[in-house]
């Protein structure tokens, strides 16, 4: 039966032609109301949406045939990804389609604000010739602060560096290596960045932590005469507070391309001559629109045909032959990634994934993606699929390698990961494919981890377990399973303990004080 695709975005024809040429039936429903979309969606296998199209759980409930949702651009914050995942619907985007256009628009806004181009042009159209009123400033030698050093932020850094700007930034998830490569001095806190910047540009997603990230306190902490640009997402700047600071002359100019509610024809900034407002023009280039259209057509087709979707923002289903080989290990790998990341306490610089025994000939990519997903997704570094894992990892400064060995020792198969100095290996047990940790930090153990575990490493001596048991007992934490691994050559032992009940920081401190521990980690899976 012909597969049906509904498009609510004014896509460039090229992508639509490619879908129809490949035998899909494509229907356009541009800018539908919620009711129109809900009553139309049932027969469609795929939906390609505009950022203004809200895809929530009630629409998904009506979308009984839907397999994939495509967004011909970067942002997917209009889509309830969790609800889509629960229903097995892939969500994908075209993350590289418009980032160059967005970065170039940012540069255009920076230059336009620094040189008063919109006001000067408007005065010329009014038949005036005024020069002194539009005295500007150079970008050269000025400090540009970039908030968010992902794809767009990185491209802006490269372009601003060519203008001779001094670059500083804030992005808790950007690796020091990436910042160094971009020539950006990275700060953990916002305060020193706000205090130094002559120009500030944001390239952040709209999340709970970035909505309203810039309000009265942040504007007050900026230099007098600062210039601000937001070509990312509406809502990151508090517009009312921003208007107050523009009115007071503290902010010399502001340029905004993205608004909380679009279309936007009125805002607290509309009255100011030194507020440059553009109607979400960042992605509006022929090149970006063509790329967005052809790329999303390609990804949607891959999803409809059961292939890997390179840009799935929720994990795309594995093709059956790949799933048979490695599918049961996906959960174990996600768990190991999370465990290693919690033990390390930071993003690893290197990650090795080794497949052993019966897995030796399998494709390691989906398992690498699962390790990264488990280890990094809680840091909001983005979702990983088999097709994008390596490139997303490298964007965040993680060098990844994969290997395979025929000998899995006493197990039929196993997966071992090494994240910097942290090693974890797992195998699967029984018909339920229960993951069991068989090695941790070089200690041989065999345990199915529970939701909460404590891992102790200490110099081996009698009586340690008794002390631990007493302290946990006093804290009403119940030990449900435990495994001890030893390294006799180092006189060291590692205890992996599954616990029930709350183990607070205070209890962890008591444990640390009671025994001469090398390490104690609380792991939550
Ligand atoms: N107006 C437009 O046409 C376009 C807008 N965008 C928007 O620009 C933003 C950036 O896009 P990309 O660079 O492609 O995304 P990205 O995901 O590659 O980069 C976002 C960066 O923000 C960082 N980040 C997240 N939360 C943060 C926080 N609280 N503080 C500091 N940094 C934080 C992340 O670590 C990441 O490095 C997105 O919101 C996207 O929607 C992107 C492309 C086009
Ligand atoms: O294509 C559009 O209209 C919006 C693009 C955008 O903001 C994005 O891709 O994040």
């Amino acid at each position: 039966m012909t597969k049906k695709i509904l498009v609510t975005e004014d896509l460039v024809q090229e992508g639509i032609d490619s879908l129809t040429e490949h035998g899909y039936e494509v229907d356009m429903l541009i800018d539908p109301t919620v009711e129109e979309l809900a009553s139309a969606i049932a027969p469609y296998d795929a939906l390609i949406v505009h950022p203004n199209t809200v895809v929530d759980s009630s629409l998904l409930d009506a979308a009984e045939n839907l397999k994939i949702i495509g967004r011909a651009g970067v942002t997917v914050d209009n889509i309830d990804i969790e609800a889509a995942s629960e229903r097995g619907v892939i969500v994908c985007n075209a993350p590289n389609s418009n980032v160059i256009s967005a970065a170039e628009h940012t540069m255009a806004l920076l230059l336009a604000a620094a040189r008063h181009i919109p006001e000067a042009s408007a005065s010329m159209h009014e038949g005036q010739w005024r020069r002194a009123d539009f005295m500007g400033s150079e970008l050269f030698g000025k400090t540009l602060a970039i908030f968010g050093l992902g794809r767009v932020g990185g491209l802006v850094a490269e372009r601003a560096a060519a203008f001779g700007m001094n670059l500083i930034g804030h992005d808790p998830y950007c690796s020091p290596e990436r910042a160094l490569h971009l020539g950006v001095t990275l700060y953990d806190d916002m305060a020193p960045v706000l205090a130094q910047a002559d120009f500030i540009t944001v390239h952040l997603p709209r999340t709970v932590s970035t909505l309203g990230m810039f309000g009265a306190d942040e504007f007050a902490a900026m230099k007098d005469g600062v210039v601000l640009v937001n070509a990312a997402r509406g809502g990151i700047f508090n517009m009312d507070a921003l208007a107050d600071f523009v009115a007071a002359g503290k902010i010399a100019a502001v340029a905004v391309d993205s608004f909380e509610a679009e279309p936007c024809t009125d805002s607290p900034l509309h009255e100011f001559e030194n507020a440059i407002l553009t109607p979400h023009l960042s992605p509006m280039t022929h090149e970006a629109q063509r790329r967005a259209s052809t790329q999303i057509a390609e990804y949607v087709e891959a999803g409809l045909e059961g292939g890997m979707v390179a840009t799935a923002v929720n994990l795309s289903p594995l093709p059956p032959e790949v799933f048979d080989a490695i599918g049961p290990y996906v959960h174990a790998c996600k768990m190991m990634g999370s465990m290693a990341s919690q033990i390390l306490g930071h993003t690893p610089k290197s990650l090795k994934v080794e497949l052993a025994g019966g897995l030796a000939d399998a494709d390691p990519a989906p398992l690498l993606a699962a390790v990264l997903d488990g280890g990094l997704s809680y840091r909001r570094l983005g979702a990983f699929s088999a097709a994008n894992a390596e490139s997303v990892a490298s964007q965040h400064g993680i060098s990844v390698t994969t290997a395979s060995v025929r000998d899995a020792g006493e197990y039929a198969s196993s997966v071992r990961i090494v994240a910097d100095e942290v090693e974890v290996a797992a195998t699967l047990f029984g018909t339920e494919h229960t993951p069991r940790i068989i090695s941790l930090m070089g200690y041989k153990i065999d345990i199915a981890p529970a939701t909460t575990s404590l891992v102790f490493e200490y110099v081996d001596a009698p009586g340690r377990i008794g002390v631990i048991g007493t302290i946990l007992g006093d804290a009403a934490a119940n030990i449900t399973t435990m495994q001890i691994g030893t390294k006799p050559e180092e006189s060291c032992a590692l205890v992996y303990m599954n616990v029930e009940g709350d183990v607070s920081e205070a209890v962890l401190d008591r444990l640390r004080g009671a025994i001469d521990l090398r390490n104690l980690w609380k792991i939550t899976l």
Side-chain angles (χ1 to χ4, degrees):
M1 209 163 76
T2 307
K3 290 180 185 150
K4 290 166 74 78
I5 302 172
L6 184 65
V7 180
T8 70
E9 156 121 57
D10 205 0
L11 277 191
V12 166
Q13 196 57 34
E14 232 170 294
I16 295 177
D17 289 347
S18 133
L19 290 168
T20 47
E21 278 159 23
H22 289 110
Y24 299 102
E25 186 183 319
V26 182
D27 293 327
M28 310 295 288
L29 186 63
I30 306 300
D31 283 338
T33 62
V34 171
E35 296 73 27
E36 280 168 349
L37 185 55
S39 67
I41 191 71
Y44 289 96
D45 301 275
L47 174 66
I48 299 179
V49 290
H50 188 266
N52 293 343
T53 310
V54 175
V55 182
D56 57 13
S57 54
S58 51
L59 179 72
L60 288 161
D61 285 339
E64 43 198 60
N65 281 307
L66 201 64
K67 286 144 202 102
I68 184 162
I69 303 164
R71 174 67 253 289
V74 172
T75 311
V76 287
D77 57 18
N78 54 318
I79 302 168
D80 185 337
I81 294 170
E82 218 175 298
S85 304
E86 280 164 12
R87 292 158 179 79
V89 176
I90 306 170
V91 179
C92 66
N93 60 355
N96 295 315
S97 57
N98 57 22
V99 287
I100 292 175
S101 293
E104 289 187 0
H105 193 65
T106 303
M107 295 310 294
L109 293 175
L110 281 169
L111 287 162
R115 303 304 292 270
H116 310 294
I117 288 170
E119 307 97 291
S121 174
S123 73
M124 289 284 287
H125 284 282
E126 285 166 10
Q128 302 168 4
W129 182 261
R130 289 154 53 201
R131 298 180 70 216
D133 290 344
F134 301 121
M135 188 69 75
S137 48
E138 294 180 343
L139 298 189
F140 180 79
K142 301 296 186 314
T143 296
L144 171 68
I146 305 175
F147 285 82
L149 285 156
R151 286 171 296 244
V152 181
L155 292 169
V156 168
E158 287 169 2
R159 283 152 183 76
F163 276 83
M165 299 192 85
N166 168 37
L167 303 177
I168 59 176
H170 170 73
D171 183 335
Y173 315 115
C174 175
S175 69
E177 289 76 12
R178 175 167 169 80
L180 188 68
H181 170 76
L182 292 171
V184 176
T185 305
L186 209 52
Y187 290 85
D188 290 340
D189 297 320
M190 283 177 78
V193 184
L194 299 177
Q196 290 179 67
D198 302 301
F199 294 83
I200 295 178
T201 181
V202 294
H203 300 287
L204 302 165
R206 181 163 49 198
T207 67
V208 276
S209 66
T210 62
L211 256 184
M213 186 167 157
F214 292 79
D217 290 346
E218 287 70 28
F219 298 132
M222 293 173 187
K223 270 185 171 177
D224 290 345
V226 66
V227 172
L228 306 185
V229 175
N230 179 3
R233 271 286 159 282
I236 295 170
F237 293 160
N238 176 322
M239 293 291 252
D240 290 320
L242 181 55
D244 290 343
F245 281 82
V246 174
K250 164 96 182 173
I251 292 169
V254 56
V256 178
D257 182 55
S258 205
F259 299 83
E260 208 163 352
E262 294 182 1
C264 170
T265 52
D266 192 18
S267 82
L269 293 181
H270 271 68
E271 64 177 283
F272 297 104
E273 205 189 27
N274 54 344
I276 303 174
L277 307 176
T278 52
H280 209 134
L281 290 186
S282 290
M284 297 307 284
T285 61
H286 298 296
E287 296 85 351
Q289 293 301 314
R290 194 173 318 114
R291 271 188 228 115
S293 173
T294 54
Q295 288 175 8
I296 205 62
E298 185 189 319
Y299 303 139
V300 165
E301 181 170 355
L304 286 176
E305 299 313 313
M308 298 271 189
V309 181
T311 62
V313 299
N314 51 358
L315 285 180
S316 61
L318 301 171
E321 65 285 6
V322 179
F323 187 84
D324 287 348
I326 54 149
Y329 267 97
V330 167
H331 175 58
C333 285
K334 203 166 166 175
M335 187 186 78
M336 285 195 286
S338 172
M339 199 176 276
S341 176
Q342 291 179 56
I343 290 175
L344 267 179
H346 57 80
T347 307
K349 292 189 173 41
S350 69
L351 174 68
K352 180 177 178 185
V353 177
E354 187 181 273
L355 277 49
L359 288 177
D361 293 324
D363 175 5
L367 297 186
L368 171 65
V371 172
L372 287 164
D373 196 32
L376 303 178
S377 58
Y378 79 99
R379 289 166 192 270
R380 306 190 71 94
L381 289 189
F384 295 91
S385 71
N388 75 2
E390 287 205 39
S391 67
V392 178
S394 113
Q395 189 194 337
H396 291 283
I398 308 164
S399 91
V400 296
T401 49
T402 55
S404 57
V405 291
R406 301 252 155 237
D407 184 8
E410 60 205 83
Y411 303 100
S413 62
S414 65
V415 175
R416 180 172 168 269
I417 71 164
V418 184
D420 290 350
E421 67 277 8
V422 174
E423 179 254 11
V424 193
T427 191
L428 302 180
F429 180 74
T431 48
E432 296 295 308
H433 299 302
T434 309
R436 296 185 78 85
I437 301 298
I438 54 172
S439 176
L440 182 60
M441 315 282 292
Y443 292 90
K444 195 166 168 343
I445 53 173
D446 186 354
I447 190 163
T451 311
T452 307
S453 314
L454 298 178
V455 179
F456 301 84
E457 191 187 24
Y458 51 70
V459 174
D460 206 5
R464 305 286 208 208
I465 299 291
V467 176
I468 294 171
T470 306
I471 294 174
L472 290 175
D474 289 348
N478 188 26
I479 303 171
T480 54
T481 347
M482 192 179 81
Q483 266 275 306
I484 306 178
T486 56
K487 282 187 190 165
E489 63 290 358
E490 294 174 32
S491 310
C492 275
L494 178 135
V495 176
Y496 197 109
M497 193 176 271
N498 289 329
V499 289
E500 271 174 3
D502 185 33
V503 184
S504 64
E505 270 308 310
V507 175
L508 295 177
D509 284 344
R510 278 192 66 201
L511 288 164
R512 286 190 186 99
I515 328 171
D516 184 16
L517 289 174
R518 275 195 172 179
N519 287 300
L520 168 57
W521 298 284
K522 177 176 159 184
I523 294 176
T524 312
L525 297 173

